[in-house]
Amino acid sequence: MLYFVLSIVIRIALKIFFRKITIHGKENIPDTQPLIVIGNHPNTFMDPILAALVILPRQVHFLANGSIFKTAAARAVLNQFNTIPVYRKQDITDNRDEKNLSAFQKCFEFLTGGGILLVFPEGNSINERKLRPIKTGTARIALEVEQQQDFKLPLKLLPIGLNYSNPTRFRESVEINIGKAFEVKSYQNQYQHDPVGAVNALTKEIQQRLAELIVITEDKEADDLVRKIELIYKKQISIDSTLKNLNVNLTQNIIKALHYFQDTDPKLVREVKEKIDNYFAIIKEFKVSDYLIEKSEKIGIGKLIRYIMYFISGFPIYITGLFFNYIPFIIPSKIARWISSDEEYRAPIMMTAGIFTFPLYYTLMYILGWHIAPTLYTLLVLTAIMPLTGFFVLQYYKRLRNSRSTFAYYRIFKKEKNALQWFSQQRQEIITLLESAQQQYR
């Protein structure tokens, strides 16, 4: 019962926390069969929350790092969410093998009963666009379960890829790709003759299937270049694209093209990188965004006045929204920074804390409102105003932050038109160079 109630609350929280959640491949989820769901792990607790409550239609059991079960409060909450602890050598020294054996036995019983087990086989969580080497534990569990049932269960593995636009920030987006489920039974003969070889082969297949569903870059420098190419060129290549998982597949194609040219024409890669880095460095110096350069929009005094009027007229609503929402918003942020310095934990802690701070603070506002004007109308008005002004604050603040770039663009447009033309020319030269490379790659 508690699982059901909490799942509803967290689903609502996810819709508020993320600006957009896109899911591809839901038709690949089996309806009734026992299932081990395997996923990449860039965002600690947020990954299982998304997988269990947004993607999967049935109740899920989780395998989780035993280190998070240290306190009684943590154990109470995690047990309500069907979380099964697995301990590493550094987590405990006493009875580790015995506890892990008990955990695996629970997995066997659950899967034999037709359940869903969620596993992140990388073993740890790091906020990078990478797939770390897959641990063999998932393959061992899957093959042992089938072996106990004479390979007649039939157990399947379902790969999912989680791709966050920014895992640590509020109101960002996430794209989830669900691959095709595949049977463990295909490894029956190999496992019966060479168990270690079968475990390694299945682990290798898990790695390959997950890699197809996510964006993987080599290092921070390569990731920076890919993100800049995405920003400049993604719209160009998406116009005539028929790719199903648009964002991820387009980025994967960019990465594959870069790898191709690093082998065949490294001089071209260096030229592209130099031009892109130079372009972004200069627009940063002038405090202008690429978005405005791309639009090449003429900003006249009339549009500027309308822009200023928006900020003036919206300011009272902005202040109202801050009054009702700033404290319950900022407290989760402070809690997240206090609990952990690791950015991978920041988003899930913020969302979890927000589930409590917003209802509590809104309740105080209801009590205050009732004390000032004890009518049903007061409560209805507060019910509408508090969340709506909160969302307005997000929009207003975002436009306020972007206003610096807009006013800088207007100043350049009026006083330094040659500079503006140079920005557009440099951007177009980069696009032309990328288009030429795309033709060669095809």
Side-chain angles (χ1 to χ4, degrees):
M1 180 62 183
L2 183 58
Y3 181 98
F4 176 74
V5 172
L6 288 175
S7 68
I8 293 174
V9 173
I10 293 175
R11 282 191 180 97
I12 295 170
L14 286 169
K15 289 183 180 296
I16 295 171
F17 191 87
F18 288 102
R19 176 178 54 84
K20 185 179 182 183
I21 299 176
T22 306
I23 303 175
H24 304 285
K26 273 200 131 178
E27 68 278 3
N28 293 329
I29 303 174
D31 292 329
T32 57
Q33 291 172 314
L35 198 63
I36 297 179
V37 179
I38 47 177
N40 62 313
H41 202 18
N43 202 8
T44 57
F45 300 127
M46 191 64 79
D47 300 332
I49 289 171
L50 278 167
L53 299 182
V54 175
I55 305 171
L56 300 171
R58 292 182 275 153
Q59 193 170 135
V60 178
H61 279 62
F62 307 85
L63 275 184
N65 190 328
S67 63
I68 64 175
F69 285 76
K70 290 181 178 178
T71 67
R75 288 194 295 272
V77 173
L78 292 167
N79 287 335
Q80 289 298 325
F81 279 96
N82 306 328
T83 310
I84 303 170
V86 178
Y87 296 94
R88 302 169 297 177
K89 288 181 181 179
Q90 61 266 39
D91 295 328
I92 56 173
T93 55
D94 298 331
N95 302 322
R96 185 178 74 89
D97 292 340
E98 183 181 332
K99 289 184 177 182
N100 283 342
L101 185 62
S102 174
F104 291 147
Q105 189 57 44
K106 287 180 183 178
C107 295
F108 299 156
E109 293 170 2
F110 185 63
L111 290 169
T112 303
I116 298 178
L117 181 67
L118 177 60
V119 182
F120 296 98
E122 290 171 281
N124 57 2
S125 178
I126 300 176
N127 176 17
E128 295 175 337
R129 297 209 288 188
K130 284 187 177 182
L131 184 65
R132 288 163 295 285
I134 299 300
K135 309 293 185 184
T136 59
T138 304
R140 286 190 286 114
I141 290 172
L143 289 164
E144 183 61 30
V145 169
E146 277 287 18
Q147 173 76 359
Q148 289 183 4
Q149 300 297 315
D150 198 26
F151 282 87
K152 295 178 181 178
L153 198 49
L155 176 64
K156 287 187 176 183
L157 300 182
L158 179 73
I160 60 171
L162 301 165
N163 299 274
Y164 298 88
S165 60
N166 189 325
T168 64
R169 293 182 61 181
F170 181 59
R171 296 302 290 171
E172 292 291 332
S173 61
V174 57
E175 181 174 349
I176 303 167
N177 296 320
I178 304 172
K180 292 188 179 297
F182 59 103
E183 291 188 346
V184 179
K185 184 179 173 62
S186 60
Y187 289 89
Q188 178 178 2
N189 291 335
Q190 185 178 4
Y191 187 69
Q192 289 172 343
H193 295 90
D194 180 14
V196 174
V199 166
N200 290 334
L202 179 54
T203 300
K204 184 178 180 181
E205 182 172 2
I206 290 171
Q207 181 102 24
Q208 291 171 341
R209 295 217 178 214
L210 285 176
E212 294 171 357
L213 303 174
I214 63 174
V215 172
I216 300 174
T217 54
E218 293 178 359
D219 49 41
K220 288 185 177 181
E221 184 180 351
D223 192 64
D224 180 62
L225 178 58
V226 170
R227 287 185 187 277
K228 288 174 179 176
I229 293 175
E230 286 178 303
L231 195 61
I232 290 178
Y233 197 54
K234 215 168 190 181
K235 287 184 181 178
Q236 301 292 126
I237 57 178
S238 65
I239 291 172
D240 51 17
S241 172
T242 57
L243 295 172
K244 187 176 181 182
N245 303 342
L246 190 61
N247 288 326
V248 169
N249 277 351
L250 286 179
T251 303
Q252 286 175 333
N253 276 3
I254 291 171
I255 294 168
K256 288 176 184 177
L258 280 174
H259 288 164
Y260 170 80
F261 286 113
Q262 281 169 348
D263 293 334
T264 61
D265 193 353
K267 183 180 176 181
L268 175 63
V269 177
R270 288 194 297 271
E271 183 182 359
V272 168
K273 186 178 186 308
E274 185 178 332
K275 279 185 173 291
I276 287 178
D277 286 346
N278 186 50
Y279 167 75
F280 277 99
I282 292 176
I283 66 171
K284 182 180 180 180
E285 182 181 338
F286 277 83
K287 301 178 178 63
V288 177
S289 70
D290 176 71
Y291 172 76
L292 291 171
I293 302 298
E294 178 199 2
K295 291 178 69 177
S296 297
E297 186 178 1
K298 294 181 180 179
I299 299 181
I301 189 66
K303 184 161 188 176
L304 202 64
I305 290 172
R306 289 196 299 273
Y307 201 71
I308 294 170
M309 289 303 297
Y310 166 82
F311 288 115
I312 294 173
S313 60
F315 188 71
I317 305 173
Y318 175 71
I319 294 298
T320 303
L322 285 179
F323 175 77
F324 286 124
N325 296 277
Y326 180 75
I327 291 176
F329 174 80
I330 202 64
I331 288 176
S333 178
K334 299 293 184 184
I335 290 173
R337 292 178 186 277
W338 176 66
I339 290 177
S340 177
S341 59
D342 296 332
E343 63 178 8
E344 290 88 0
Y345 287 89
R346 197 166 298 159
I349 293 173
M350 282 178 61
M351 190 190 75
T352 304
I355 290 174
F356 297 97
T357 58
F358 274 93
L360 287 172
Y361 191 79
Y362 281 7
T363 299
L364 288 176
M365 292 299 101
Y366 281 127
I367 294 170
L368 180 63
W370 185 263
H371 182 73
I372 295 171
T375 65
L376 179 61
Y377 178 75
T378 301
L379 301 182
L380 292 175
V381 169
L382 285 173
T383 301
I385 286 178
M386 289 191 292
L388 290 178
T389 56
F391 282 109
F392 180 82
V393 166
L394 293 173
Q395 181 194 49
Y396 187 93
Y397 182 70
K398 183 178 180 181
R399 294 190 69 174
L400 193 62
R401 288 183 60 186
N402 293 338
S403 64
R404 185 180 182 185
S405 177
T406 302
F407 285 113
Y409 184 89
Y410 175 76
R411 186 187 68 251
I412 296 170
F413 179 76
K414 286 300 180 184
K415 297 182 179 180
E416 303 179 53
K417 288 188 178 180
N418 290 337
L420 202 58
Q421 290 171 359
W422 184 89
F423 292 152
S424 298
Q425 180 183 343
Q426 290 297 305
R427 194 179 196 281
Q428 188 54 50
E429 285 181 9
I430 293 169
I431 289 174
T432 301
L433 188 61
L434 292 171
E435 284 178 341
S436 174
Q438 186 185 13
Q439 292 300 321
Q440 294 179 52
Y441 181 63
R442 285 177 177 175

